[in-house]
């Protein structure tokens, strides 16, 4: 017997709406349910993480999660929550994006066929590519009236008096295509539930209605709230744009920092939404946090749990170490373990000068490194005084007058040496590749 999936979502703040009888059906019947992901990029971002986590809870509760990658619907673009029509992607780009998303999802869900409820991944392009417009209009279109489709919120907003762009026929058909996806999965995989964000309610219920009218069947719908920050701003966005799940787009260090910088108010909800900690543990941590909010226990817990979930324990530990390096809490040895991307992100904006590798291989005079090769200090005399005063650090380690040259052993990520004068004046020596 499955555990109560709906109640799990409810206390975590992950439940927005559901069709009548959905909870009792899921409590008594191990079932198959799906969430669709439109391949607008070759990586998902943390806005999609809510949907992934819902599928993970669904599988943990004993049900079978189905991931639908929208290779067909991605060619159109979902109008829900959009004021303008999306740019259409070509098939080659969509195929690349679908492969990237599928690979990512495989790290979160269990697809092992030896378990009782392995996850399934499907692509709606597989059943839409040979479906002609005539057949679709005859078999599917006749079951739903234009009046029914126009009553949907996503359509009304775009056709209202305030809308300057209207809605193309392409976008208008999106809910019918998504509804057909549900019907197809209902008939081929016995899928009885579709889940998604609250903006998807209209599209999802179009599917349940199509199943009712065409097959006389009963299907269910469940949505989660769209996550926003307490100040009303969009969740998952930074000054640089989306926070991606792909480490080549958003490094584990920046990913970790995003969660670490969460406000106290947001942390109270994020720890329930984005972690799998038990209710007892979460309540205990919230109480502890409220006793000493300056210690930022909730933020540190969320950052650890989510970074580990997405990038693994090793990446999390490296992100913590990188954060400590920035505040001078670790040794030069730790700094030299950093990869190039994380190092440059840590010291973003620090001026750089490039030197040839032969200079480093032969041993670069430290005075020359501080003055003639970089211009970091203005004269040899200033450099000698700074060294005598113990004000110069190489890779965050004070060197004094006992170090006279820099060599290959000092390189970070085989390419950089970090120079510092005092506490805040930095310079990067970059070795030409």
């Amino acid at each position: 017997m499955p555990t109560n999936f709906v109640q799990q979502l409810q206390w975590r703040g992950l439940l927005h709406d559901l069709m009548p009888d959905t909870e009792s059906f899921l409590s008594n019947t191990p079932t198959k349910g799906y969430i669709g992901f439109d391949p607008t990029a070759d990586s998902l971002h943390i806005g999609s993480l809510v949907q992934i986590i819902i599928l993970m809870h669904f599988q943990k509760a004993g049900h079978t999660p189905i991931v639908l990658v929208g290779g067909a619907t991605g060619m159109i673009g979902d109008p829900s929550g959009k004021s303008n029509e999306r740019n259409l992607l070509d098939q080659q780009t969509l195929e690349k994006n679908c492969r990237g998303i599928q690979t990512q999802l495989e790290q979160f869900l269990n697809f092992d066929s030896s378990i009782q409820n392995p996850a399934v991944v499907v692509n709606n392009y597989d059943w839409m590519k040979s479906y002609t417009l005539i057949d679709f209009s005859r078999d599917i279109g006749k079951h739903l009236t234009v009046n029914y489709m126009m009553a949907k919120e996503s359509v009304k907003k775009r056709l209202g008096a305030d809308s300057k762009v209207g809605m193309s026929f392409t976008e208008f058909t999106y809910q019918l295509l998504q509804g057909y996806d549900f019907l197809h999965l209902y008939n081929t995989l016995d899928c009885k539930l579709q889940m998604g964000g609250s903006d998807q309610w209209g599209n999802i219920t179009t599917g349940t209605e199509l199943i009712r009218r065409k097959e006389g069947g009963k299907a269910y719908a469940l949505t989660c709230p769209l996550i926003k920050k307490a100040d009303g701003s969009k969740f998952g966005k930074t000054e640089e744009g989306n926070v991606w799940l792909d480490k080549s787009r958003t490094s584990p260090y920046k990913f970790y920092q995003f969660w670490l910088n969460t406000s106290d108010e947001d942390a109270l909800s994020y720890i329930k939404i984005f972690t799998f900690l038990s209710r007892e543990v979460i309540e205990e941590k919230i109480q502890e946090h409220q006793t000493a909010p300056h210690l930022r226990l909730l933020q540190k817990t969320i950052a650890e749990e989510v970074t580990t979930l997405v990038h693994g324990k090793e990446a999390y530990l490296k992100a913590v170490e990188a954060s400590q390096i920035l505040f001078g809490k670790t040794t030069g040895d730790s700094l030299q373990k950093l990869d190039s991307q994380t190092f440059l992100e840590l010291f973003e904006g620090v001026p750089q000068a490039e030197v040839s590798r032969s200079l480093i291989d032969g041993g670069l005079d430290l005075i020359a490194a501080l003055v003639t090769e970089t211009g970091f200090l203005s004269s040899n005399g200033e450099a000698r005084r700074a060294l005598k005063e113990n004000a110069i650090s190489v890779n965050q380690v004070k060197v004094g007058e006992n170090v006279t040259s820099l060599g290959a052993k000092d390189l970070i990520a085989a390419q950089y040496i970090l120079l510092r004068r005092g506490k805040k004046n930095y310079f990067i020596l970059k070795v030409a590749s």
Side-chain angles (χ1 to χ4, degrees), residues 324-365:
Q324 292 172 337
I325 285 167
L326 194 59
F327 298 105
K329 294 181 180 178
T330 57
T331 66
D333 290 341
S334 299
L335 189 63
Q336 285 177 283
K337 293 175 186 175
L338 293 178
D339 59 80
S340 177
Q341 183 184 8
T342 306
F343 172 75
L344 292 175
E345 285 177 354
L346 270 175
F347 299 100
E348 190 175 0
V350 171
Q352 295 185 21
E354 191 169 276
V355 297
S356 69
R357 186 162 292 275
S358 60
L359 272 178
I360 290 294
D361 289 343
L364 175 60
D365 180 74

Side-chain angles (χ1 to χ4, degrees), residues 9 35 43 86 130 165 206 339-340 357 409:
L9 297 190
I35 294 180
S43 170
R86 288 177 173 175
S130 57
V165 293
T206 294
D339 59 80
S340 177
R357 186 162 292 275
K409 63 177 174 38

